[in-house]
Amino acid sequence: MTVPVFRFAPSPNGHLHLGHAYSALLNQQMAGETGGRLLLRMEDIDRERCTPELEATMQEDLRWLGFNWETPVRRQSEHFEVYRVSLDKLIHMDLVYPAFLSRNDIKHAVQKATAENRVWPHDPDGAALYPLSDRTLSPSERAKRMNAGRAFSWRLNMDRAMEHVSQTLFWNETGNTIQARPLDWGDVIIARKDMPTSYHLSVVIDDALQGITHVVRGKDLFHATSIHRLLQHILGLEPPIYHHHALILDQDGQKLSKSRKDTALRSLRLEGMTPQQIRERVGL
Ligand code: GLU
């Protein structure tokens, strides 16, 4: 029988809060119940916002909490060349294209459409879908812009990707079968400006490379799993089983954020809270 492999995969761009504590400890509990392994991955591709200091603090908070992971920690920033191989594959398959529009350009496109009474589609997170104009740029215009050093990201041509797949995709959500709906996301970013990857690309590659069998993470990533399932299919990666757990909310029913001080593990610890009290607070 294969040994289950779980992972907790924070981004070290701030301090861990109660929601992270719940996710980490739930992974640990499920690994314990199934005789599984438990890994820690730092999703630190954003080299501006993620720092070694924040990572060190995260590890310290996790240790204090009683989260015990296997070493070594996988740091995504150390594996850009691995993601590059998959990006090149997608470029070669002609499933991605260089996308030049800035956030402001997108905003203007949406405003223009709204002024003309056209409804602009939004993704499951509420963000406007990327305009289709860059899909159809001529090869010479693309080359001209790239040679001129214009900043661009690589985006998936979602329609072409779906044609390539030509079958309905499903994922396994702890006992349920969920139909993936990647079209709802439009042309998602596969590689951000100046880096050969994005969250979506690195997460599917790492889950496969680390042999993750169970992805246990917050419900806020439930819909993103549609994109992950699609990328796994295109790149020939074995999909794990998913469990998207409830989020820990504040008194006003809002999602916690890393910028809030009062729910940061650091602050709670300084106030004298014990790891056991944290467990109780998150219901574990
Ligand atoms: N790095 C992501 C985050 O901190 C989690 C990714 C995942 O669990 O798939 O929100």
Side-chain angles (χ1 to χ4, degrees):
M1 216 189 80
T2 53
V3 176
V5 187
F6 293 76
R7 75 352 179 235
F8 177 57
S11 295
N13 55 12
H15 293 312
L16 295 176
H17 55 56
L18 283 172
H20 296 110
Y22 177 61
S23 203
L25 292 172
L26 185 62
N27 267 285
Q28 178 153 291
Q29 180 175 308
M30 291 175 77
E33 283 165 1
T34 54
R37 297 169 53 205
L38 184 59
L39 309 182
L40 176 64
R41 177 197 307 151
M42 287 294 156
E43 301 211 325
D44 60 350
I45 55 171
D46 187 332
R47 303 312 297 140
E48 273 165 31
R49 296 179 62 219
C50 300
T51 65
E53 293 74 28
L54 285 169
E55 184 197 316
T57 310
M58 273 193 174
Q59 290 207 27
E60 194 189 298
D61 286 350
L62 287 169
R63 234 173 268 122
W64 171 77
L65 193 62
F67 180 78
N68 297 309
W69 64 92
E70 269 180 35
T71 51
V73 171
R74 181 174 173 92
R75 233 167 252 114
Q76 293 190 323
S77 59
E78 293 170 356
H79 300 282
F80 282 123
E81 75 289 353
V82 174
Y83 311 128
R84 173 95 237 173
V85 173
S86 293
L87 172 63
D88 284 344
K89 186 169 168 185
L90 294 170
I91 294 172
H92 187 73
M93 292 167 90
D94 202 18
L95 293 181
V96 290
Y97 62 88
F100 298 96
L101 299 183
S102 65
R103 259 184 221 181
N104 241 347
D105 295 334
I106 302 174
K107 206 170 100 192
H108 287 136
V110 177
Q111 280 168 350
K112 184 166 178 284
T114 311
E116 292 165 1
N117 282 327
R118 282 185 286 128
V119 177
W120 195 276
H122 286 70
D123 71 22
D125 283 350
L129 297 201
Y130 193 72
L132 300 180
S133 50
D134 281 346
R135 273 191 189 184
T136 47
L137 285 183
S138 67
S140 64
E141 179 58 27
R142 261 181 203 160
K144 199 170 110 194
R145 292 185 187 192
M146 286 162 96
N147 292 338
R150 285 267 304 266
F152 67 94
S153 49
W154 288 100
R155 285 189 179 257
L156 192 68
N157 182 326
M158 190 54 88
D159 292 304
R160 197 171 284 172
M162 295 304 279
E163 268 167 39
H164 175 85
V165 168
S166 76
Q167 68 181 77
T168 310
L169 294 175
F170 298 92
W171 85 76
N172 187 337
E173 176 80 25
T174 42
N176 292 315
T177 303
I178 309 286
Q179 185 178 332
R181 299 169 52 93
L183 275 171
D184 292 353
W185 287 93
D187 292 357
V188 289
I189 297 190
I190 294 299
R192 286 158 63 170
K193 292 190 172 91
D194 302 321
M195 65 171 89
T197 192
S198 63
Y199 160 61
H200 298 307
L201 184 61
S202 349
V203 79
V204 294
I205 292 176
D206 282 2
D207 284 339
L209 277 180
Q210 294 191 288
I212 305 299
T213 58
H214 293 71
V215 168
V216 176
R217 62 186 179 192
K219 268 205 166 37
D220 50 342
L221 289 168
F222 179 87
H223 293 291
T225 309
S226 283
I227 305 166
H228 302 167
R229 189 63 201 91
L230 174 66
L231 290 174
Q232 285 155 354
H233 183 88
I234 295 173
L235 296 169
L237 307 171
E238 189 64 35
I241 296 170
Y242 289 90
H243 175 68
H244 292 94
H245 59 71
L247 299 177
I248 304 287
L249 304 174
D250 66 11
Q251 287 95 326
D252 306 323
Q254 297 298 312
K255 222 177 104 174
L256 303 182
S257 91
K258 282 191 182 121
S259 52
R260 279 184 58 157
K261 292 265 179 303
D262 58 333
T263 46
L265 295 185
R266 301 244 104 190
S267 319
L268 297 169
R269 179 179 166 186
L270 275 174
E271 282 167 22
M273 226 170 157
T274 64
Q276 183 52 32
Q277 285 168 325
I278 303 267
R279 275 176 192 275
E280 285 161 18
R281 173 108 179 241
V282 299
L284 282 173

